[in-house]
Amino acid sequence: MSDLTPIDTALWSDDAQPHLMGGRLPSGEIVFPMPQGDAARDVEPYKLSRHGKLWSWTSQDFRPKEPYEGPGEGPHDFQPFLIGYVELPGEVIVESRIVDAQLEDLRLGMPMTFCIVPFNDQHTTFAFRPDADAGETAA
Amino acid sequence: MSDNVYIIGAGIHPFGRTEERSGREQGVFAVRQALQDAGLDWPDIECAYGGSAAAGSADIMVNELGLTSLPFTNVANGCATGGSALVSAQQAIASGMYDLALAVGFDKHPRGAFNAKPSDYGLPEWYGQTGMMLTTQFFALKIQRYMQLHGISREALGRVAEKAFRNGAKTPHAWRRSEIDLDTIMNAPMINDPLTKYMFCAPAEGGVALILASEKKMKELGADGVKIANIAVRTRPPDSFEVFQAGVSVKDGGKPTILASQAAFEGAGIGPEDIEVAQLQDTESGAEIMHMAENGFCKDGDQEQWLSEGWSEIGGKMPINTDGGCIACGEPIGASGLRQVYENVEQLRGRAGERQVPTMPKTGYSHVYGAPGLSAVAILQR
């Protein structure tokens, strides 16, 4: 994984425990992702919480068309993946890959933690995974 | 802006795949049918509004229809293209400037899911590169949460699709014209959980044309008109949850459909209980279910009973998507919203054949939703 570079260098912080980068608007509202260009004026970069609750989820069962750059060459070696929204309480709800889980394990409100995962043979991307003890606490 | 506006002519080119005709040719086909329906000739039309998302400019249609020098405005408004063309035509007549106007929409898309470019929507490239820029995912994510919160079953999703194909089988302009049973729908390959292949509509081709007239002109022609009671188009309010959103507000925001629906009902001076037939955006099964509530026809969660009791069937208490909707007709973006209005015109004129609502409805409701979070509602009255 050491050879892999982030899919976008502005997406998360380079701390030992990285944070997804959002922005704080003058109104105090937290947004994701951090706006770029003129839209970034008056927006303060904001490190989002690494912990949240599952807000919704789905599976991606077919290979997306361009500009998808996931691993593999085509439909024959496509590996379905999970995707969802994770609510970072008091901040913002972020769309993310979900890793280390099976579809049938996912429950509304289950605790999730931020992580960086390999994406393809060049890049890493961000994801959330269920907390280790989520199965017991998410009832 | 006082005069009533009527739809006096309606034409459609069958939806689906028509290899031998371009999208625009399908639009021309629909215009000719609408003219014939209204008993008019092309030179009678005083102004026109139309467009497509992927099949070129509508104003080129004058090459085939005739060079009558009329003002022809191209509309490019994504999923609201048809709705915006209809609003423009309605306003042109309501303003008193014109007595006869055309609203037309057509399209022709390649097979498979729509693929969108992040930059077109003001999104960073990683959003597309990592496989999040898919409309199908949004619909699945929205219904998944809705099912958890309001107790909607997977079977309810299947019933919506089953009804769509049953109605499509009775509809000459539909693309999918064979019934598909519930088991087949439920056991079909998953696209985005909980939505299987048969629960989704697909990009398609087709064209729809509507001819609008002032009340004075309609009477002069002795035409068979349906009144446009109200049309409302709304884009998304703050803190809403829409297609293509990497980040969603933690505040519970409004919805463009709720805003458009309330505005249209208020403008028409009637309520959801007065509607006798409705065409609701059913990009997939879940959308129809959620849009039943967002448009005010039921409470969140009541859809389960609606579907098990068959209340939204053609013979039910409030028929929904009587021509099979987007699921059976496919979605040519520029034409799709106008198809819903076309279907209501046919139902209100009692000309819907095998799929005619037996109670002969006097009020019809249509609703379209699309990227980047906009809704258009049209209420028609006989």
Side-chain angles (χ1 to χ4, degrees):
Chain A
M1 190 160 151
S2 55
D3 296 341
L4 303 181
T5 56
I7 188 89
D8 184 324
T9 52
L11 245 177
W12 59 83
S13 70
D14 55 7
D15 303 312
Q17 292 272 304
H19 292 259
L20 211 48
M21 292 308 300
R24 189 206 301 264
L25 307 186
S27 66
E29 188 188 343
I30 309 296
V31 296
F32 173 76
M34 172 66 192
Q36 303 293 315
D38 287 353
R41 246 178 61 184
D42 304 324
V43 182
E44 196 186 319
Y46 179 92
K47 287 183 183 177
L48 294 169
S49 171
R50 291 172 47 85
H51 301 282
K53 295 183 297 182
L54 190 60
W55 192 83
S56 191
W57 64 92
T58 187
S59 56
Q60 180 59 38
D61 283 277
F62 65 94
R63 186 180 169 86
K65 291 199 245 183
E66 287 175 36
Y68 180 63
E69 292 178 3
E73 291 162 8
H76 64 283
D77 61 355
F78 172 70
Q79 291 292 322
F81 55 88
L82 298 175
I83 203 154
Y85 279 99
V86 176
E87 178 167 7
L88 308 175
E91 295 180 347
V92 65
I93 301 163
V94 297
E95 191 171 355
S96 172
R97 283 193 169 226
I98 294 173
V99 295
D100 299 340
Q102 302 293 315
L103 181 70
E104 48 279 11
D105 301 335
L106 300 178
R107 300 283 178 271
L108 200 64
M110 73 193 289
M112 309 287 286
T113 297
F114 182 69
C115 57
I116 303 298
V117 294
F119 173 59
N120 58 17
D121 56 12
Q122 291 177 47
H123 297 300
T124 52
T125 192
F126 70 96
F128 278 81
R129 62 164 56 103
D131 288 359
D133 59 349
E136 290 85 62
T137 57
Chain B
M1 299 284 288
S2 57
D3 209 12
N4 286 325
V5 179
Y6 293 79
I7 297 172
I8 64 161
I12 194 163
H13 183 283
F15 280 32
R17 300 255 172 241
T18 308
E19 299 297 338
E20 67 277 17
R21 283 197 185 106
S22 70
R24 192 162 48 230
E25 284 171 328
Q26 296 179 45
V28 169
F29 179 103
V31 172
R32 291 196 168 125
Q33 199 180 79
L35 286 167
Q36 192 180 16
D37 182 34
L40 295 169
D41 296 313
W42 174 244
D44 297 324
I45 301 300
E46 298 167 14
C47 65
Y49 300 86
S52 77
S57 299
D59 64 340
I60 310 294
M61 296 168 93
V62 296
N63 287 348
E64 284 108 330
L65 291 166
L67 304 176
T68 60
S69 298
L70 88 169
F72 199 131
T73 304
N74 287 320
V75 180
N77 211 181
C79 298
T81 295
S84 297
L86 185 62
V87 170
S88 304
Q90 183 223 13
Q91 290 172 349
I93 291 172
S95 73
M97 277 190 72
Y98 300 100
D99 286 308
L100 282 171
L102 168 72
V104 59
F106 55 87
D107 243 311
K108 194 176 182 94
H109 303 284
R111 284 159 208 275
F114 293 113
N115 60 329
K117 272 173 58 184
S119 57
D120 288 352
Y121 289 85
L123 289 161
E125 290 304 314
W126 63 260
Y127 192 68
Q129 289 165 329
T130 59
M132 295 191 194
M133 188 98 193
L134 284 100
T135 50
T136 60
Q137 279 176 5
F138 163 74
F139 293 118
L141 288 161
K142 189 177 174 191
I143 188 63
Q144 187 90 267
R145 180 171 171 81
Y146 192 87
M147 289 165 74
Q148 305 294 324
L149 293 176
H150 301 294
I152 301 294
S153 66
R154 286 174 181 255
E155 189 169 297
L157 298 175
R159 287 189 193 281
V160 170
E162 188 188 26
K163 169 174 71 70
F165 294 118
R166 186 157 50 234
N167 294 352
K170 297 176 180 159
T171 305
H173 67 249
W175 181 14
R176 314 290 190 195
R177 302 210 54 204
S178 306
E179 296 194 14
I180 300 178
D181 64 77
L182 190 59
D183 273 357
T184 306
I185 292 165
M186 300 301 291
N187 295 312
M190 195 61 82
I191 299 292
N192 296 105
D193 185 84
L195 301 167
T196 70
K197 179 178 136 182
Y198 289 121
M199 296 177 188
F200 274 102
C201 83
E205 307 170 14
V208 179
L210 300 170
I211 292 168
L212 280 62
S214 62
E215 187 160 348
K216 181 185 72 174
K217 192 71 177 182
M218 178 183 69
K219 286 180 175 160
E220 188 184 307
L221 293 167
D224 183 18
V226 170
K227 187 168 100 177
I228 300 177
N230 203 265
I231 310 182
V233 182
R234 290 291 184 276
T235 55
R236 64 193 188 279
D239 306 321
S240 67
F241 170 45
E242 310 296 340
V243 65
F244 301 150
Q245 257 183 293
V248 179
S249 170
V250 288
K251 284 184 272 182
D252 211 2
K255 295 185 172 67
T257 293
I258 293 178
L259 296 179
S261 176
Q262 287 174 347
F265 278 127
E266 197 179 312
I270 60 171
E273 63 284 358
D274 299 311
I275 299 298
E276 294 169 300
V277 60
Q279 318 300 330
L280 306 181
Q281 182 78 11
D282 60 331
T283 324
E284 35 68 42
S285 293
E288 178 171 317
I289 288 176
M290 293 183 286
H291 290 149
M292 287 165 70
E294 289 183 22
N295 287 289
F297 294 110
C298 69
K299 290 208 223 37
D300 291 322
D302 286 357
Q303 298 95 329
E304 194 67 25
Q305 188 183 9
W306 273 64
L307 287 154
S308 61
E309 307 273 339
W311 293 344
S312 53
E313 300 281 344
I314 286 173
K317 67 174 186 180
M318 225 287 283
I320 295 173
N321 292 333
T322 44
D323 66 350
C326 294
I327 293 175
C329 292
E331 192 185 19
I333 290 179
S336 199
L338 291 180
R339 171 190 54 75
Q340 300 173 320
V341 178
Y342 169 90
E343 173 63 8
N344 280 338
V345 169
E346 294 298 273
Q347 289 287 349
L348 266 53
R349 295 203 289 193
R351 305 196 317 185
E354 258 192 279
R355 68 186 191 284
Q356 178 66 46
V357 173
T359 53
M360 293 294 164
K362 300 285 181 218
T363 54
Y365 183 100
S366 60
H367 156 260
V368 62
Y369 169 86
L374 56 84
S375 287
V377 168
I379 298 176
L380 305 184
Q381 276 178 327
R382 190 64 164 147

mmCIF file of all heavy atoms in Angstrom, chain B residues 149-187:
data_model
loop_
_atom_site.group_PDB
_atom_site.id
_atom_site.type_symbol
_atom_site.label_atom_id
_atom_site.label_comp_id
_atom_site.label_asym_id
_atom_site.label_seq_id
_atom_site.Cartn_x
_atom_site.Cartn_y
_atom_site.Cartn_z
ATOM 1 N N LEU B 149 -36.906 3.484 7.765
ATOM 2 C CA LEU B 149 -37.623 4.442 8.618
ATOM 3 C C LEU B 149 -39.131 4.223 8.606
ATOM 4 O O LEU B 149 -39.812 4.507 9.583
ATOM 5 C CB LEU B 149 -37.320 5.882 8.176
ATOM 6 C CG LEU B 149 -35.887 6.381 8.382
ATOM 7 C CD1 LEU B 149 -35.735 7.793 7.801
ATOM 8 C CD2 LEU B 149 -35.518 6.381 9.871
ATOM 9 N N HIS B 150 -39.669 3.742 7.472
ATOM 10 C CA HIS B 150 -41.127 3.719 7.331
ATOM 11 C C HIS B 150 -41.706 2.322 7.090
ATOM 12 O O HIS B 150 -42.871 2.192 6.736
ATOM 13 C CB HIS B 150 -41.556 4.678 6.219
ATOM 14 C CG HIS B 150 -41.124 6.096 6.475
ATOM 15 N ND1 HIS B 150 -41.614 6.856 7.510
ATOM 16 C CD2 HIS B 150 -40.202 6.874 5.846
ATOM 17 C CE1 HIS B 150 -41.034 8.051 7.505
ATOM 18 N NE2 HIS B 150 -40.172 8.088 6.517
ATOM 19 N N GLY B 151 -40.873 1.300 7.262
ATOM 20 C CA GLY B 151 -41.388 -0.059 7.201
ATOM 21 C C GLY B 151 -41.920 -0.493 5.842
ATOM 22 O O GLY B 151 -42.937 -1.185 5.758
ATOM 23 N N ILE B 152 -41.226 -0.068 4.785
ATOM 24 C CA ILE B 152 -41.611 -0.526 3.441
ATOM 25 C C ILE B 152 -40.858 -1.822 3.140
ATOM 26 O O ILE B 152 -39.655 -1.920 3.367
ATOM 27 C CB ILE B 152 -41.261 0.548 2.379
ATOM 28 C CG1 ILE B 152 -41.967 1.879 2.672
ATOM 29 C CG2 ILE B 152 -41.564 0.051 0.965
ATOM 30 C CD1 ILE B 152 -43.467 1.852 2.562
ATOM 31 N N SER B 153 -41.584 -2.830 2.616
ATOM 32 C CA SER B 153 -40.958 -4.130 2.353
ATOM 33 C C SER B 153 -40.359 -4.189 0.954
ATOM 34 O O SER B 153 -40.705 -3.394 0.077
ATOM 35 C CB SER B 153 -42.013 -5.230 2.487
ATOM 36 O OG SER B 153 -42.976 -5.076 1.448
ATOM 37 N N ARG B 154 -39.477 -5.153 0.760
ATOM 38 C CA ARG B 154 -38.917 -5.382 -0.575
ATOM 39 C C ARG B 154 -40.023 -5.798 -1.550
ATOM 40 O O ARG B 154 -39.987 -5.492 -2.722
ATOM 41 C CB ARG B 154 -37.834 -6.459 -0.511
ATOM 42 C CG ARG B 154 -36.567 -5.943 0.123
ATOM 43 C CD ARG B 154 -35.522 -7.023 0.343
ATOM 44 N NE ARG B 154 -34.357 -6.418 0.978
ATOM 45 C CZ ARG B 154 -33.222 -6.152 0.356
ATOM 46 N NH1 ARG B 154 -33.057 -6.484 -0.912
ATOM 47 N NH2 ARG B 154 -32.216 -5.573 0.978
ATOM 48 N N GLU B 155 -41.002 -6.519 -1.029
ATOM 49 C CA GLU B 155 -42.094 -6.967 -1.892
ATOM 50 C C GLU B 155 -42.881 -5.776 -2.456
ATOM 51 O O GLU B 155 -43.341 -5.817 -3.597
ATOM 52 C CB GLU B 155 -43.025 -7.891 -1.113
ATOM 53 C CG GLU B 155 -44.051 -8.546 -2.022
ATOM 54 C CD GLU B 155 -44.810 -9.662 -1.314
ATOM 55 O OE1 GLU B 155 -44.148 -10.644 -0.937
ATOM 56 O OE2 GLU B 155 -46.030 -9.535 -1.162
ATOM 57 N N ALA B 156 -42.999 -4.704 -1.662
ATOM 58 C CA ALA B 156 -43.704 -3.508 -2.155
ATOM 59 C C ALA B 156 -42.983 -2.951 -3.383
ATOM 60 O O ALA B 156 -43.624 -2.513 -4.350
ATOM 61 C CB ALA B 156 -43.796 -2.457 -1.056
ATOM 62 N N LEU B 157 -41.661 -2.991 -3.356
ATOM 63 C CA LEU B 157 -40.889 -2.535 -4.524
ATOM 64 C C LEU B 157 -41.226 -3.387 -5.741
ATOM 65 O O LEU B 157 -41.370 -2.891 -6.852
ATOM 66 C CB LEU B 157 -39.384 -2.637 -4.245
ATOM 67 C CG LEU B 157 -38.806 -1.798 -3.108
ATOM 68 C CD1 LEU B 157 -37.327 -2.125 -2.914
ATOM 69 C CD2 LEU B 157 -38.965 -0.311 -3.396
ATOM 70 N N GLY B 158 -41.325 -4.684 -5.500
ATOM 71 C CA GLY B 158 -41.660 -5.606 -6.582
ATOM 72 C C GLY B 158 -43.052 -5.351 -7.146
ATOM 73 O O GLY B 158 -43.267 -5.412 -8.355
ATOM 74 N N ARG B 159 -43.979 -5.033 -6.262
ATOM 75 C CA ARG B 159 -45.365 -4.800 -6.714
ATOM 76 C C ARG B 159 -45.474 -3.583 -7.626
ATOM 77 O O ARG B 159 -46.281 -3.552 -8.554
ATOM 78 C CB ARG B 159 -46.294 -4.624 -5.504
ATOM 79 C CG ARG B 159 -46.582 -5.912 -4.759
ATOM 80 C CD ARG B 159 -47.667 -5.704 -3.710
ATOM 81 N NE ARG B 159 -47.733 -6.820 -2.790
ATOM 82 C CZ ARG B 159 -48.325 -7.985 -3.062
ATOM 83 N NH1 ARG B 159 -48.902 -8.174 -4.230
ATOM 84 N NH2 ARG B 159 -48.327 -8.951 -2.172
ATOM 85 N N VAL B 160 -44.665 -2.562 -7.338
ATOM 86 C CA VAL B 160 -44.679 -1.372 -8.197
ATOM 87 C C VAL B 160 -44.246 -1.754 -9.621
ATOM 88 O O VAL B 160 -44.872 -1.365 -10.612
ATOM 89 C CB VAL B 160 -43.768 -0.260 -7.627
ATOM 90 C CG1 VAL B 160 -43.589 0.864 -8.647
ATOM 91 C CG2 VAL B 160 -44.336 0.292 -6.331
ATOM 92 N N ALA B 161 -43.177 -2.536 -9.705
ATOM 93 C CA ALA B 161 -42.681 -2.936 -11.025
ATOM 94 C C ALA B 161 -43.681 -3.859 -11.725
ATOM 95 O O ALA B 161 -43.942 -3.716 -12.932
ATOM 96 C CB ALA B 161 -41.324 -3.622 -10.883
ATOM 97 N N GLU B 162 -44.275 -4.765 -10.961
ATOM 98 C CA GLU B 162 -45.261 -5.692 -11.528
ATOM 99 C C GLU B 162 -46.432 -4.904 -12.147
ATOM 100 O O GLU B 162 -46.876 -5.187 -13.260
ATOM 101 C CB GLU B 162 -45.763 -6.612 -10.409
ATOM 102 C CG GLU B 162 -46.648 -7.750 -10.881
ATOM 103 C CD GLU B 162 -47.274 -8.496 -9.693
ATOM 104 O OE1 GLU B 162 -47.442 -7.888 -8.603
ATOM 105 O OE2 GLU B 162 -47.596 -9.675 -9.871
ATOM 106 N N LYS B 163 -46.894 -3.887 -11.423
ATOM 107 C CA LYS B 163 -47.978 -3.028 -11.925
ATOM 108 C C LYS B 163 -47.541 -2.273 -13.189
ATOM 109 O O LYS B 163 -48.299 -2.156 -14.148
ATOM 110 C CB LYS B 163 -48.398 -2.030 -10.836
ATOM 111 C CG LYS B 163 -49.334 -0.914 -11.332
ATOM 112 C CD LYS B 163 -49.835 -0.029 -10.203
ATOM 113 C CE LYS B 163 -48.773 0.884 -9.604
ATOM 114 N NZ LYS B 163 -48.330 1.976 -10.495
ATOM 115 N N ALA B 164 -46.289 -1.782 -13.161
ATOM 116 C CA ALA B 164 -45.788 -1.027 -14.316
ATOM 117 C C ALA B 164 -45.838 -1.882 -15.579
ATOM 118 O O ALA B 164 -46.313 -1.436 -16.638
ATOM 119 C CB ALA B 164 -44.362 -0.546 -14.054
ATOM 120 N N PHE B 165 -45.373 -3.126 -15.486
ATOM 121 C CA PHE B 165 -45.362 -3.985 -16.673
ATOM 122 C C PHE B 165 -46.783 -4.402 -17.064
ATOM 123 O O PHE B 165 -47.087 -4.532 -18.254
ATOM 124 C CB PHE B 165 -44.474 -5.213 -16.443
ATOM 125 C CG PHE B 165 -43.017 -4.848 -16.287
ATOM 126 C CD1 PHE B 165 -42.334 -5.112 -15.110
ATOM 127 C CD2 PHE B 165 -42.330 -4.217 -17.321
ATOM 128 C CE1 PHE B 165 -41.001 -4.758 -14.963
ATOM 129 C CE2 PHE B 165 -40.994 -3.855 -17.186
ATOM 130 C CZ PHE B 165 -40.326 -4.125 -15.997
ATOM 131 N N ARG B 166 -47.651 -4.567 -16.062
ATOM 132 C CA ARG B 166 -49.040 -4.927 -16.361
ATOM 133 C C ARG B 166 -49.716 -3.785 -17.140
ATOM 134 O O ARG B 166 -50.414 -4.014 -18.122
ATOM 135 C CB ARG B 166 -49.788 -5.198 -15.044
ATOM 136 C CG ARG B 166 -51.184 -5.723 -15.227
ATOM 137 C CD ARG B 166 -51.692 -6.488 -14.006
ATOM 138 N NE ARG B 166 -51.526 -5.766 -12.757
ATOM 139 C CZ ARG B 166 -50.903 -6.267 -11.695
ATOM 140 N NH1 ARG B 166 -50.395 -7.485 -11.727
ATOM 141 N NH2 ARG B 166 -50.796 -5.559 -10.587
ATOM 142 N N ASN B 167 -49.463 -2.541 -16.713
ATOM 143 C CA ASN B 167 -50.042 -1.399 -17.424
ATOM 144 C C ASN B 167 -49.363 -1.184 -18.775
ATOM 145 O O ASN B 167 -50.015 -0.843 -19.765
ATOM 146 C CB ASN B 167 -49.941 -0.134 -16.568
ATOM 147 C CG ASN B 167 -50.801 -0.214 -15.318
ATOM 148 O OD1 ASN B 167 -51.583 -1.145 -15.151
ATOM 149 N ND2 ASN B 167 -50.645 0.750 -14.428
ATOM 150 N N GLY B 168 -48.065 -1.387 -18.811
ATOM 151 C CA GLY B 168 -47.327 -1.220 -20.069
ATOM 152 C C GLY B 168 -47.831 -2.173 -21.152
ATOM 153 O O GLY B 168 -47.887 -1.832 -22.329
ATOM 154 N N ALA B 169 -48.232 -3.374 -20.717
ATOM 155 C CA ALA B 169 -48.727 -4.372 -21.673
ATOM 156 C C ALA B 169 -49.993 -3.882 -22.385
ATOM 157 O O ALA B 169 -50.323 -4.346 -23.478
ATOM 158 C CB ALA B 169 -49.002 -5.687 -20.944
ATOM 159 N N LYS B 170 -50.692 -2.923 -21.779
ATOM 160 C CA LYS B 170 -51.944 -2.403 -22.367
ATOM 161 C C LYS B 170 -51.732 -1.086 -23.112
ATOM 162 O O LYS B 170 -52.697 -0.451 -23.529
ATOM 163 C CB LYS B 170 -52.957 -2.141 -21.242
ATOM 164 C CG LYS B 170 -53.368 -3.372 -20.477
ATOM 165 C CD LYS B 170 -54.286 -2.983 -19.326
ATOM 166 C CE LYS B 170 -54.707 -4.231 -18.556
ATOM 167 N NZ LYS B 170 -55.150 -3.907 -17.209
ATOM 168 N N THR B 171 -50.481 -0.627 -23.210
ATOM 169 C CA THR B 171 -50.215 0.718 -23.692
ATOM 170 C C THR B 171 -49.440 0.714 -25.014
ATOM 171 O O THR B 171 -48.278 0.300 -25.038
ATOM 172 C CB THR B 171 -49.404 1.502 -22.626
ATOM 173 O OG1 THR B 171 -50.116 1.455 -21.396
ATOM 174 C CG2 THR B 171 -49.177 2.938 -23.053
ATOM 175 N N PRO B 172 -50.063 1.168 -26.093
ATOM 176 C CA PRO B 172 -49.374 1.135 -27.388
ATOM 177 C C PRO B 172 -48.058 1.907 -27.421
ATOM 178 O O PRO B 172 -47.137 1.519 -28.122
ATOM 179 C CB PRO B 172 -50.394 1.772 -28.347
ATOM 180 C CG PRO B 172 -51.721 1.576 -27.694
ATOM 181 C CD PRO B 172 -51.454 1.616 -26.208
ATOM 182 N N HIS B 173 -47.936 2.998 -26.632
ATOM 183 C CA HIS B 173 -46.680 3.757 -26.695
ATOM 184 C C HIS B 173 -45.611 3.252 -25.732
ATOM 185 O O HIS B 173 -44.512 3.800 -25.683
ATOM 186 C CB HIS B 173 -46.930 5.263 -26.479
ATOM 187 C CG HIS B 173 -47.390 5.636 -25.102
ATOM 188 N ND1 HIS B 173 -48.665 6.096 -24.836
ATOM 189 C CD2 HIS B 173 -46.760 5.644 -23.905
ATOM 190 C CE1 HIS B 173 -48.774 6.365 -23.538
ATOM 191 N NE2 HIS B 173 -47.643 6.095 -22.957
ATOM 192 N N ALA B 174 -45.909 2.200 -24.951
ATOM 193 C CA ALA B 174 -44.917 1.694 -23.989
ATOM 194 C C ALA B 174 -43.837 0.875 -24.702
ATOM 195 O O ALA B 174 -44.043 0.347 -25.793
ATOM 196 C CB ALA B 174 -45.602 0.851 -22.919
ATOM 197 N N TRP B 175 -42.694 0.763 -24.063
ATOM 198 C CA TRP B 175 -41.564 0.004 -24.602
ATOM 199 C C TRP B 175 -41.672 -1.454 -24.178
ATOM 200 O O TRP B 175 -41.615 -2.369 -24.992
ATOM 201 C CB TRP B 175 -40.272 0.638 -24.070
ATOM 202 C CG TRP B 175 -38.978 0.035 -24.509
ATOM 203 C CD1 TRP B 175 -38.778 -0.853 -25.525
ATOM 204 C CD2 TRP B 175 -37.695 0.291 -23.949
ATOM 205 N NE1 TRP B 175 -37.445 -1.151 -25.632
ATOM 206 C CE2 TRP B 175 -36.755 -0.465 -24.675
ATOM 207 C CE3 TRP B 175 -37.232 1.105 -22.903
ATOM 208 C CZ2 TRP B 175 -35.389 -0.436 -24.391
ATOM 209 C CZ3 TRP B 175 -35.866 1.123 -22.625
ATOM 210 C CH2 TRP B 175 -34.964 0.365 -23.359
ATOM 211 N N ARG B 176 -41.850 -1.654 -22.850
ATOM 212 C CA ARG B 176 -41.962 -3.023 -22.301
ATOM 213 C C ARG B 176 -43.432 -3.397 -22.298
ATOM 214 O O ARG B 176 -44.201 -2.848 -21.520
ATOM 215 C CB ARG B 176 -41.424 -3.057 -20.874
ATOM 216 C CG ARG B 176 -40.098 -2.338 -20.680
ATOM 217 C CD ARG B 176 -38.964 -3.073 -21.327
ATOM 218 N NE ARG B 176 -37.666 -2.499 -20.929
ATOM 219 C CZ ARG B 176 -36.539 -2.761 -21.554
ATOM 220 N NH1 ARG B 176 -36.522 -3.571 -22.606
ATOM 221 N NH2 ARG B 176 -35.411 -2.226 -21.136
ATOM 222 N N ARG B 177 -43.810 -4.314 -23.159
ATOM 223 C CA ARG B 177 -45.224 -4.601 -23.331
ATOM 224 C C ARG B 177 -45.594 -6.018 -22.930
ATOM 225 O O ARG B 177 -46.586 -6.569 -23.413
ATOM 226 C CB ARG B 177 -45.646 -4.278 -24.768
ATOM 227 C CG ARG B 177 -45.372 -2.795 -25.124
ATOM 228 C CD ARG B 177 -46.331 -2.251 -26.112
ATOM 229 N NE ARG B 177 -47.704 -2.439 -25.678
ATOM 230 C CZ ARG B 177 -48.744 -2.488 -26.487
ATOM 231 N NH1 ARG B 177 -48.560 -2.359 -27.792
ATOM 232 N NH2 ARG B 177 -49.964 -2.661 -26.020
ATOM 233 N N SER B 178 -44.775 -6.612 -22.042
ATOM 234 C CA SER B 178 -45.106 -7.947 -21.531
ATOM 235 C C SER B 178 -45.175 -7.880 -20.014
ATOM 236 O O SER B 178 -44.350 -7.221 -19.384
ATOM 237 C CB SER B 178 -44.017 -8.959 -21.903
ATOM 238 O OG SER B 178 -43.801 -8.935 -23.280
ATOM 239 N N GLU B 179 -46.142 -8.574 -19.451
ATOM 240 C CA GLU B 179 -46.234 -8.632 -18.001
ATOM 241 C C GLU B 179 -45.051 -9.430 -17.452
ATOM 242 O O GLU B 179 -44.549 -10.343 -18.120
ATOM 243 C CB GLU B 179 -47.551 -9.303 -17.590
ATOM 244 C CG GLU B 179 -48.746 -8.487 -18.035
ATOM 245 C CD GLU B 179 -50.040 -8.927 -17.366
ATOM 246 O OE1 GLU B 179 -49.968 -9.674 -16.372
ATOM 247 O OE2 GLU B 179 -51.109 -8.503 -17.838
ATOM 248 N N ILE B 180 -44.600 -9.076 -16.271
ATOM 249 C CA ILE B 180 -43.533 -9.823 -15.597
ATOM 250 C C ILE B 180 -44.029 -10.114 -14.186
ATOM 251 O O ILE B 180 -44.501 -9.213 -13.490
ATOM 252 C CB ILE B 180 -42.213 -9.024 -15.567
ATOM 253 C CG1 ILE B 180 -41.747 -8.706 -17.003
ATOM 254 C CG2 ILE B 180 -41.127 -9.793 -14.811
ATOM 255 C CD1 ILE B 180 -40.478 -7.885 -17.091
ATOM 256 N N ASP B 181 -43.940 -11.394 -13.777
ATOM 257 C CA ASP B 181 -44.527 -11.740 -12.481
ATOM 258 C C ASP B 181 -43.603 -11.345 -11.323
ATOM 259 O O ASP B 181 -42.403 -11.134 -11.508
ATOM 260 C CB ASP B 181 -44.892 -13.223 -12.417
ATOM 261 C CG ASP B 181 -43.667 -14.091 -12.512
ATOM 262 O OD1 ASP B 181 -42.951 -14.198 -11.501
ATOM 263 O OD2 ASP B 181 -43.403 -14.633 -13.606
ATOM 264 N N LEU B 182 -44.214 -11.242 -10.151
ATOM 265 C CA LEU B 182 -43.525 -10.737 -8.959
ATOM 266 C C LEU B 182 -42.256 -11.529 -8.637
ATOM 267 O O LEU B 182 -41.217 -10.948 -8.328
ATOM 268 C CB LEU B 182 -44.501 -10.765 -7.770
ATOM 269 C CG LEU B 182 -44.063 -10.063 -6.486
ATOM 270 C CD1 LEU B 182 -43.791 -8.585 -6.729
ATOM 271 C CD2 LEU B 182 -45.129 -10.235 -5.408
ATOM 272 N N ASP B 183 -42.327 -12.863 -8.746
ATOM 273 C CA ASP B 183 -41.153 -13.692 -8.424
ATOM 274 C C ASP B 183 -39.978 -13.364 -9.320
ATOM 275 O O ASP B 183 -38.835 -13.260 -8.869
ATOM 276 C CB ASP B 183 -41.503 -15.180 -8.611
ATOM 277 C CG ASP B 183 -42.109 -15.759 -7.343
ATOM 278 O OD1 ASP B 183 -42.183 -15.005 -6.352
ATOM 279 O OD2 ASP B 183 -42.500 -16.942 -7.366
ATOM 280 N N THR B 184 -40.278 -13.204 -10.619
ATOM 281 C CA THR B 184 -39.204 -12.897 -11.565
ATOM 282 C C THR B 184 -38.577 -11.547 -11.237
ATOM 283 O O THR B 184 -37.349 -11.394 -11.287
ATOM 284 C CB THR B 184 -39.764 -12.886 -13.009
ATOM 285 O OG1 THR B 184 -40.433 -14.133 -13.224
ATOM 286 C CG2 THR B 184 -38.676 -12.701 -14.038
ATOM 287 N N ILE B 185 -39.423 -10.588 -10.894
ATOM 288 C CA ILE B 185 -38.920 -9.247 -10.553
ATOM 289 C C ILE B 185 -38.040 -9.309 -9.306
ATOM 290 O O ILE B 185 -36.939 -8.758 -9.278
ATOM 291 C CB ILE B 185 -40.106 -8.281 -10.341
ATOM 292 C CG1 ILE B 185 -40.826 -8.032 -11.668
ATOM 293 C CG2 ILE B 185 -39.638 -6.958 -9.719
ATOM 294 C CD1 ILE B 185 -42.198 -7.390 -11.546
ATOM 295 N N MET B 186 -38.531 -10.034 -8.283
ATOM 296 C CA MET B 186 -37.801 -10.096 -7.002
ATOM 297 C C MET B 186 -36.486 -10.858 -7.130
ATOM 298 O O MET B 186 -35.528 -10.556 -6.431
ATOM 299 C CB MET B 186 -38.666 -10.795 -5.935
ATOM 300 C CG MET B 186 -39.995 -10.124 -5.621
ATOM 301 S SD MET B 186 -39.853 -8.448 -5.021
ATOM 302 C CE MET B 186 -39.114 -8.719 -3.416
ATOM 303 N N ASN B 187 -36.458 -11.852 -8.030
ATOM 304 C CA ASN B 187 -35.265 -12.698 -8.138
ATOM 305 C C ASN B 187 -34.332 -12.305 -9.277
ATOM 306 O O ASN B 187 -33.365 -13.005 -9.566
ATOM 307 C CB ASN B 187 -35.681 -14.170 -8.271
ATOM 308 C CG ASN B 187 -36.383 -14.648 -7.009
ATOM 309 O OD1 ASN B 187 -35.900 -14.419 -5.919
ATOM 310 N ND2 ASN B 187 -37.545 -15.280 -7.167
#
